[in-house]
Amino acid sequence: SDVYKRQHVVAAEHFGQQFACWREPLCTDNKGHPFKGRRCCQKIDERFRHMEAELYNLWLESGLVNQARSNYRFGVVPNQEDYFGCSIKIDKSTRRVEPSDQTKGIVARAYLFMSDHYALPLSKQQEQLFRAWNKQFPPTEWEHHWANQVAQIEGYPNPYITKWTKDAA
């Protein structure tokens, strides 16, 4: 049976690429071989570790779906069926993923939060899409409750959830 684990909404590769430790072999293993990427950043960069552990960016997702989603960008995926009965559309040719309507707002608020909180650049197209999804799919009562719990742990709110209004979205 498939296991549900906490997975990054904003893929680690998307935020990792802004770190030198991701792009350049700044680390060495116990045999003296240089390496880079996620493992190196986890080892030497506190800011990366904080971004990787950001609770506002971690949601339960099927391992199978997460693997298929890979590091594809979110967007609109026309003319595709749901992925193996899961309410997500994946187009490998365009490397795009469209989540279900129930999760579009969650995805949008995670991206907008990560962009603001960590100065993570979004393309104009991605920002427009996430602002539209945020407005069209408002946070549920459950999401508000969850965000209040996360704020107590993290020490700061996600204003895209806690201060959500149709006008601010």
Side-chain angles (χ1 to χ4, degrees):
S1 75
D2 195 23
V3 178
Y4 283 77
K5 293 182 180 176
R6 283 188 247 0
Q7 306 288 354
H8 294 104
V9 177
V10 179
E13 182 175 333
H14 292 169
F15 59 78
Q17 290 178 3
Q18 69 179 339
F19 293 89
C21 52
W22 190 277
R23 300 182 313 270
E24 302 164 24
L26 301 179
C27 299
T28 53
D29 63 19
N30 57 6
K31 293 182 179 173
H33 298 117
F35 65 94
K36 61 184 178 178
R38 186 180 203 150
R39 200 172 103 227
C40 181
C41 288
Q42 287 171 334
K43 183 177 177 179
I44 67 169
D45 197 300
E46 185 178 343
R47 186 167 179 270
F48 176 85
R49 288 192 299 271
H50 193 260
M51 287 178 80
E52 187 179 40
E54 177 58 65
L55 293 175
Y56 291 117
N57 189 42
L58 291 168
W59 285 87
L60 283 179
E61 184 177 49
S62 151
L64 176 69
V65 170
N66 188 61
Q67 185 178 6
R69 179 180 77 113
S70 183
N71 61 353
Y72 296 175
R73 300 275 182 203
F74 284 100
V76 176
V77 178
N79 307 319
Q80 288 284 329
E81 297 296 316
D82 286 354
Y83 183 78
F84 288 106
C86 296
S87 54
I88 188 167
K89 295 175 183 174
I90 300 173
D91 185 343
K92 292 183 180 194
S93 67
T94 61
R95 300 179 55 83
R96 292 268 183 254
V97 175
E98 182 177 349
S100 68
D101 284 353
Q102 301 105 284
T103 56
K104 283 178 179 168
I106 290 168
V107 167
R109 287 181 284 282
Y111 264 88
L112 292 168
F113 171 81
M114 292 291 284
S115 176
D116 285 355
H117 195 76
Y118 294 103
L120 184 65
L122 294 176
S123 71
K124 191 150 192 69
Q125 183 182 20
Q126 288 261 288
E127 185 175 347
Q128 287 173 341
L129 175 71
F130 295 139
R131 290 199 182 281
W133 282 357
N134 182 38
K135 192 172 196 169
Q136 189 176 358
F137 304 100
T140 63
E141 186 177 327
W142 181 90
E143 192 179 348
H144 278 285
H145 177 73
W146 171 83
N148 288 332
Q149 297 293 313
V150 170
Q152 290 179 11
I153 296 166
E154 292 285 20
Y156 47 84
N158 176 343
Y160 288 97
I161 301 169
T162 57
K163 294 184 186 323
W164 191 96
T165 65
K166 209 146 189 82
D167 296 332

